[in-house]
Amino acid sequence: MAQPKLFLQPLSAAICVACYSATAVSAEVETTQFLAPIVVTAQQGNDANGLIVHADPKQPTQPIPAVDGAAYLQSIVGFNQIKNGGANGDVTFRGMFGSRIKILTDGTENLGACPSRMDNPASYISPESYDKITVVKGPQTVQYAHTGSAATVIFEREPEKLSSAKPYRGQASVMMGSYGRLDQNIETAVGDESKYARLNANRSVSDSYQDGAGNRVPSDWEKWNADLALGWTPNADTWVELKGGKSDGEAVYAGRTMDGSKFARESLGLHVEKKNISEVIQKVEAQVDYSYNDHVMDNFSLRKFTPVDGMSMPMASNVARRTLNSRVAITTEWDNWSLVSGVDAQNNKHSARKGMVNTYKDKPRVTDMDFESYGAFGELSYQFSDQNKLVTGARIDQTQIDNLKTDTERKETLPSGFFRLESQLTDQLKSYAGLGYVERVPDYWELFSTQYYQTGTTFDHLDNEKTTQFDAGYQYEQGAFKSWASVYVGLIQDYILVAYTPTGKMGKLEAKSRNVDATIAGAEAGIGYQLTDQIQADVSAMYAWGENTTDHSALPQIAPLEGRFNLRYVQDKYNVGFLWRVVAAQDRTSYREGNIIGYDVEDSKGFGTLSLNGTYNLQKGVDLSVGVDNVFDKNYAEHLNKLGSSGFGYAATEQFNNIGRNYWARISMKF
């Protein structure tokens, strides 16, 4: 696998030289600098009185700094991930999964191609290369196509602001950890007031880890990303950016019968923004983005071939998805009103080919799915008093899905909307309450990766999923005390449930999708207290609950109650802390039901892990962070982990365990 090592291989040495170079020492180094702590519960910088959460992906997290989008999102309260091995887990939020969570990068959607979501959208994201993560909980925005019913997640890079006085900036980091983990990241930009070029490049490798019992868990990976952006800012109100990127990788999966031997991405995008056009028109923005994902899964190149689950020969499958996204939006403001309105469109085509060993390379790609959608939206805000604000929105999407295997098509009109009241009750207390509705067409995986629940072969065997959800929450801050909470309750008509039954060849489990009605509810909450000028503590918890009201059973694949306790000692130059994560047992399960990559097998046991971390400011712009995860080498499995593959010797109902004690150190610099 070719990799852009030119920028990354010397990175470790370059940072060490920067740390101890005499030329770097100046009077500025003596300036007192507050050091941000390691992120362990990323619930800060909230908008909409707590509904919208912001996180800084450039800050290291504990457990070990994230290799992909799913790993970082797990540090934000409410998120979990279904793990396959060491990398490329699939995100869940409040027990919801897949296209119920809208994941965007710079306002565009990069969909994976694997029919079993080996290369889910979060697997292509290197968090540290972005400037900000924004999470909108629930169906409380309509600004993006196919609104997420559970959440909308946006990874963003901000336009560069350079000057002739300092025509460059950059930052770099190197992280080393147990089991051969090595991450290298660099971001650099050059330019002036009117133009810039920015490079983001990173590489991450790791060997297989050991669990708390000392057993090897197949989980090694190697991946890289490189993105280049060229920007033009002729004045303060105009921004044009052309960007392109490539990436690739490979990953061994303890929880699958095949590994990912190729995760190639190509992307190209053009973004344009114009501000302050008139007294009413505040901003016009437009973008068009292209991506191509080329993914290979096989059972021989990264593992010793073993006949398993009906695969008697070394096999490979090559799938690809070509996606074109476009969006135009206008922000207008007058008096106490603000309106964001616009249109967007997406077209994506999925293709596949396969064969024994590498014979697939000589075969033509066969396109099996063509998806098109066009949408229009409007999101209106009205500040009707100093203390109260009303936010409401509506959108309509027209979609068409063509099943090219059977020459059938499905056309749908999908409405969605919400309204929300944001209130400043006192100087210390803020709250929000909103009601949202969204319809979701069955996604590629629910339609194409499962067998039809009924005996017919019609393309419309699944109804659209319809979610009505109430969200509410508050934030309170007075003196040294802070607290916050978010609660929700939702009714889901025609919830798309995936069940696994032994009807395939040789009794192999076969995924089937069907509609049921469901009720969901839950909460996230946190309390923080500044004990002294140096000592701070916070506690957070999250709980999700779901009921299949059609079958009177639990909704499957929902993470159990979880709590996190974080205690820190903070000084100007250093901080130290510990994180205690406690996860309850999960006894609300539904046997062999779940989603496209996982299903419930049995109730899970609770566990607790303790992690230690610290950061020291070596000199201005240079920080050293260290950590020990799972200090007591606890042997445990997450409830949402996949079953271990029998090809690696796991029993039919045995999950693979999480990583045992894990040491890591990260050095970062800004220039």
Side-chain angles (χ1 to χ4, degrees):
M1 179 175 58
Q3 298 183 27
K5 297 183 180 180
L6 176 64
F7 298 103
L8 299 176
Q9 295 294 67
L11 193 54
S12 302
I15 291 181
C16 292
V17 169
C19 291
Y20 298 104
S21 172
T23 59
V25 179
S26 67
E28 291 181 331
V29 175
E30 304 302 322
T31 303
T32 300
Q33 180 181 3
F34 178 76
L35 189 63
I38 290 172
V39 175
V40 292
T41 52
Q43 184 80 31
Q44 55 187 354
N46 295 327
D47 288 338
N49 297 351
L51 175 79
I52 300 174
V53 178
H54 296 299
D56 181 359
K58 296 189 184 302
Q59 286 183 243
T61 61
Q62 189 164 41
I64 190 167
V67 64
D68 53 40
Y72 194 97
L73 288 173
Q74 194 168 10
S75 70
I76 301 178
V77 178
F79 284 93
N80 263 281
Q81 60 171 322
I82 304 174
K83 302 190 73 174
N84 306 298
N88 299 346
D90 219 334
V91 175
T92 72
F93 181 70
R94 293 175 167 177
M96 298 292 102
F97 167 85
S99 59
R100 300 180 185 99
I101 306 170
K102 188 76 171 179
I103 297 181
L104 304 167
T105 53
D106 291 326
T108 191
E109 189 171 33
N110 180 24
L111 295 166
C114 180
S116 57
R117 291 180 65 93
M118 268 191 196
D119 68 332
N120 66 81
S123 68
Y124 289 99
I125 295 173
S126 176
E128 194 173 336
S129 67
Y130 291 87
D131 299 317
K132 183 172 67 172
I133 300 173
T134 300
V135 178
V136 183
K137 299 179 179 182
Q140 287 289 311
T141 184
V142 294
Q143 293 190 35
Y144 304 97
H146 317 117
T147 301
S149 59
T152 301
V153 182
I154 308 169
F155 289 78
E156 295 178 273
R157 294 188 181 107
E158 297 177 343
E160 295 296 329
K161 296 180 180 179
L162 302 171
S163 66
S164 301
K166 186 181 179 182
Y168 67 90
R169 72 151 193 94
Q171 53 191 60
S173 70
V174 171
M175 190 201 70
M176 300 180 67
S178 301
Y179 312 111
R181 176 76 181 269
L182 177 63
D183 288 9
Q184 301 157 305
N185 288 273
I186 186 166
E187 177 179 313
T188 184
V190 295
D192 53 29
E193 292 84 353
S194 63
K195 58 187 178 297
Y196 65 82
R198 180 183 65 240
L199 172 70
N200 291 89
N202 58 79
R203 178 174 177 266
S204 177
V205 297
S206 179
D207 298 330
S208 294
Y209 66 77
Q210 291 182 359
D211 63 17
N215 299 313
R216 176 181 175 271
V217 177
S219 54
D220 46 305
W221 74 77
E222 183 174 3
K223 54 169 57 181
W224 61 267
N225 287 268
D227 292 274
L228 178 66
L230 303 176
W232 181 49
T233 53
N235 54 60
D237 296 327
T238 306
W239 171 61
V240 180
E241 184 177 271
L242 176 66
K243 60 179 183 177
K246 297 190 66 149
S247 66
D248 203 350
E250 57 187 36
V252 175
Y253 292 135
R256 295 181 183 270
T257 56
M258 303 181 86
D259 302 312
S261 56
K262 184 178 183 180
F263 294 84
R265 168 189 64 93
E266 298 177 355
S267 61
L268 185 66
L270 177 64
H271 293 202
V272 179
E273 185 178 286
K274 182 70 174 179
K275 297 180 180 179
N276 300 317
I277 297 174
S278 70
E279 292 184 359
V280 174
I281 303 176
Q282 297 298 306
K283 182 170 67 174
V284 175
E285 51 191 315
Q287 65 183 85
V288 58
D289 296 273
Y290 163 86
S291 65
Y292 181 68
N293 299 94
D294 187 4
H295 169 58
V296 175
M297 57 195 123
D298 67 54
N299 59 3
F300 61 86
S301 66
L302 301 179
R303 68 173 73 186
K304 181 180 179 180
F305 169 71
T306 302
V308 62
D309 287 347
M311 291 190 294
S312 59
M313 300 290 291
M315 298 290 295
S317 178
N318 181 202
V319 290
R321 191 190 297 256
R322 193 181 307 272
T323 305
L324 183 67
N325 291 281
S326 56
R327 180 176 184 268
V328 177
I330 302 174
T331 302
T332 54
E333 295 181 1
W334 66 100
D335 297 329
N336 295 329
W337 299 85
S338 177
L339 174 65
V340 181
S341 57
V343 295
D344 47 41
Q346 181 183 113
N347 174 265
N348 70 78
K349 298 179 184 293
H350 185 276
S351 62
R353 57 183 178 176
K354 60 183 178 180
M356 289 189 296
V357 195
N358 290 317
T359 59
Y360 73 89
K361 295 180 180 179
D362 299 323
K363 297 180 179 180
R365 297 182 186 272
V366 178
T367 303
D368 54 17
M369 187 274 295
D370 188 352
F371 175 91
E372 289 186 353
S373 75
Y374 303 91
F377 64 89
E379 194 163 299
L380 181 69
S381 300
Y382 176 58
Q383 190 80 43
F384 56 86
S385 72
D386 292 339
Q387 292 77 33
N388 297 295
K389 179 181 179 181
L390 177 67
V391 185
T392 186
R395 73 170 289 128
I396 189 113
D397 288 292
Q398 183 68 48
T399 67
Q400 178 174 322
I401 307 172
D402 291 310
N403 184 346
L404 302 180
K405 287 184 176 180
T406 59
D407 195 26
T408 54
E409 67 178 29
R410 174 173 181 157
K411 294 183 178 180
E412 300 288 352
T413 301
L414 306 171
S416 57
F418 74 94
F419 65 87
R420 179 176 72 248
L421 179 64
E422 301 171 14
S423 300
Q424 174 111 26
L425 302 176
T426 68
D427 291 340
Q428 295 79 31
L429 179 61
K430 300 178 181 179
S431 69
Y432 70 86
L435 185 68
Y437 174 83
V438 60
E439 287 193 20
R440 184 179 72 90
V441 69
D443 60 30
Y444 167 79
W445 298 275
E446 292 159 338
L447 287 172
F448 288 82
S449 298
T450 62
Q451 296 295 321
Y452 292 155
Y453 177 65
Q454 299 174 341
T455 57
T457 58
T458 59
F459 192 48
D460 57 355
H461 72 291
L462 289 175
D463 292 331
N464 294 339
E465 189 175 278
K466 310 164 190 70
T467 301
T468 303
Q469 182 168 309
F470 174 76
D471 284 90
Y474 80 90
Q475 286 182 297
Y476 179 81
E477 181 174 355
Q478 185 171 28
F481 177 79
K482 298 179 182 179
S483 70
W484 61 270
S486 298
V487 299
Y488 66 95
V489 60
L491 300 176
I492 307 178
Q493 182 182 354
D494 296 319
Y495 178 90
I496 299 173
L497 181 69
V498 178
Y500 291 78
T501 56
T503 56
K505 295 180 180 179
M506 301 175 63
K508 181 181 178 182
L509 294 181
E510 201 167 58
K512 297 182 178 181
S513 51
R514 64 184 175 107
N515 293 112
V516 298
D517 291 338
T519 301
I520 58 173
E524 304 92 38
I527 296 174
Y529 193 78
Q530 189 79 34
L531 300 170
T532 70
D533 289 344
Q534 291 78 35
I535 301 175
Q536 53 189 238
D538 67 78
V539 180
S540 60
M542 56 185 180
Y543 178 71
W545 175 91
E547 178 77 7
N548 173 350
T549 55
T550 297
D551 300 333
H552 305 289
S553 60
L555 276 187
Q557 289 289 278
I558 293 183
L561 172 67
E562 178 177 328
R564 303 173 188 175
F565 176 66
N566 176 37
L567 182 67
R568 304 203 63 79
Y569 180 80
V570 180
Q571 289 281 9
D572 291 335
K573 296 281 289 183
Y574 70 92
N575 63 73
V576 295
F578 79 83
L579 167 66
W580 183 30
R581 179 177 176 236
V582 181
V583 179
Q586 178 59 287
D587 58 5
R588 286 185 53 80
T589 56
S590 185
Y591 185 63
R592 285 184 177 172
E593 291 188 331
N595 49 53
I596 200 60
I597 72 166
Y599 55 87
D600 289 354
V601 177
E602 58 186 3
D603 296 350
S604 61
K605 299 177 181 179
F607 62 87
T609 59
L610 179 68
S611 301
L612 305 176
N613 61 73
T615 304
Y616 183 74
N617 177 230
L618 299 173
Q619 65 181 51
K620 185 178 181 181
V622 181
D623 297 332
L624 173 66
S625 300
V626 296
V628 184
D629 302 335
N630 195 0
V631 172
F632 297 114
D633 209 16
K634 177 77 173 179
N635 192 36
Y636 70 100
E638 300 275 359
H639 177 69
L640 294 183
N641 272 23
K642 287 179 67 65
L643 296 176
S645 169
S646 58
F648 291 122
Y650 289 95
T653 59
E654 181 184 4
Q655 290 182 312
F656 66 86
N657 290 323
N658 272 35
I659 193 168
R661 186 182 297 115
N662 188 19
Y663 301 92
W664 56 270
R666 177 182 183 268
I667 189 167
S668 62
M669 64 173 291
K670 294 182 179 180
F671 54 90

